[in-house]
């Protein structure tokens, strides 16, 4: 009966065991996971665009090969995550449709433009860095397929982060113009990266429940703090300045005080009014339409094989 099912589910989660697709789970747990995993998958797919636009403009063959491989990795992450969401009883078609009709979201960060080559370094260092801080704890998420997908994704993200850092380090230690380009990229990507962690805890709709169910393991503000503390020494090695006059070590807290991102801006960007939202969605829609023949051919081939 319902009560014992709920008790058994709660006990499983409390014991740090994994919930698997065939297990009974509360409907709100299933829905919440679909929401988060789908949003994560869409982010990986839309996230190919800001970097993809620099593949043809990479300054050397080596940098081009690295960037190409990285963008392909992001596509791979999107595909694992769609597959993880599908284990919860939703189809890929439904997920793609929800993105294209704006019923599901993707990360705010991918609505900012990549204006210079240094932005590719800043994305690797900061955006993939934030992704790792957010996603390493998700390797311990209570839902097995999501947790397992995160293990591989985090290994690849950490490689991406290092390549971005190395790229930015090269620029920051190059000519004065290259250093200025690296600083400008940090100036523009810092606050949007802090905003990736979501609204402050007091305004986070899903955190309490997600933490109770061990979907999320830490709150948005806890992870944002961890990210700032990680970046400060890394910026020092780069010789770049984090654009925050309020940034300083607080010995009492054992953490850095910092200026939070503009959460009104985050809300606007989430609601579709960021610098590149329209462009990102138009591009995704066009790519989906252009790929229709591939889906039709694959379906025809599958039917033929089944016969
Ligand atoms: N961009 C877009 N939407 C956001 C963002 C953001 N940076 N932060 C929060 N939101 C949305 C939430 O989806 C939620 O809206 P919804 O109810 O319509 O889904 C609303 O704002 C309120 O936020 P929270 O209640 O705090 O949402 P949640 O508990 O899901 O926390 C978080 C947000 C931290 C992003 C969480 O979903 C998460 O950890 N997701 C997995 C990681 C991920 O998706 N990363 C994507 C970018 S990293 C990359 O792809 C390289």
């Amino acid at each position: 009966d319902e009560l014992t099912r709920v008790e058994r589910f709660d006990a499983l989660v409390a014991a740090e065991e994994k919930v698997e697709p065939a297990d009974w789970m509360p409907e709100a747990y299933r829905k919440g996971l679909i929401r988060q995993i789908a949003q994560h998958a869409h982010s990986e797919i839309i996230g190919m665009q800001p970097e993809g636009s620099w593949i043809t403009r990479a300054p050397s063959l080596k940098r081009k090969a690295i960037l190409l491989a990285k963008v392909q990795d992001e596509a791979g992450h999107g595909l694992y995550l769609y597959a993880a969401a599908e284990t919860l009883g939703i189809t890929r078609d439904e997920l793609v449709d929800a993105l294209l009709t704006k019923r599901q979201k993707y990360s705010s960060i991918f609505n900012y433009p990549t204006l210079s080559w240094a932005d590719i370094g800043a994305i690797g260092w900061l955006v993939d860095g934030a992704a790792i801080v957010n996603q390493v704890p998700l390797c311990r998420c209570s839902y097995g397929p999501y947790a397992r997908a995160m293990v591989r994704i985090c290994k690849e993200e950490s490689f991406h982060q290092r390549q971005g850092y190395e790229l930015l380090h090269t620029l920051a230690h190059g000519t004065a113009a290259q250093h200025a380009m690296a600083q400008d990229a940090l100036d523009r990507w810092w606050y949007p990266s802090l905003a990736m962690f979501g609204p402050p805890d007091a305004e986070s709709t899903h955190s309490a429940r997600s933490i109770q169910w061990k979907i999320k393991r830490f709150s948005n503000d806890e992870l944002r703090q961890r990210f700032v503390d990680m970046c400060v020494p890394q910026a020092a090695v780069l010789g770049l300045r984090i654009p925050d006059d309020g940034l300083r070590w607080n010995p009492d807290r054992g953490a850095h005080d910092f200026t939070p991102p503009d959460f009104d801006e985050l809300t606007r960007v989430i609601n579709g009014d960021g610098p590149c939202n329209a462009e990102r969605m138009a591009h995704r829609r066009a790519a989906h339409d252009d790929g229709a023949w591939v889906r039709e051919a694959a379906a025809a081939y599958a039917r033929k094989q089944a016969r």
Side-chain angles (χ1 to χ4, degrees), residues 129-201:
I132 295 165
V133 168
N134 168 268
Q135 290 168 30
V136 166
L138 294 176
C139 298
R140 294 190 296 116
C141 166
S142 57
Y143 188 58
Y146 190 34
R148 289 187 290 271
M150 278 303 126
V151 174
R152 177 165 174 185
I153 290 177
C154 285
K155 285 189 178 152
E156 293 182 351
E157 293 290 6
S158 107
F159 191 69
H160 294 170
Q161 195 225 8
R162 284 159 204 227
Q163 74 78 36
Y165 191 76
E166 192 270 341
L167 194 168
L168 216 51
H169 191 274
T170 305
L171 284 176
H173 293 85
T175 64
Q178 287 171 327
H179 183 92
M181 196 192 277
Q183 181 64 53
D184 173 62
L186 171 55
D187 291 347
R188 283 179 293 104
W189 288 92
W190 176 251
Y191 286 104
S193 299
L194 292 189
M196 282 175 72
F197 294 93
D201 292 350

Side-chain angles (χ1 to χ4, degrees), residues 86 163 218 302:
E86 283 178 288
Q163 74 78 36
F218 296 99

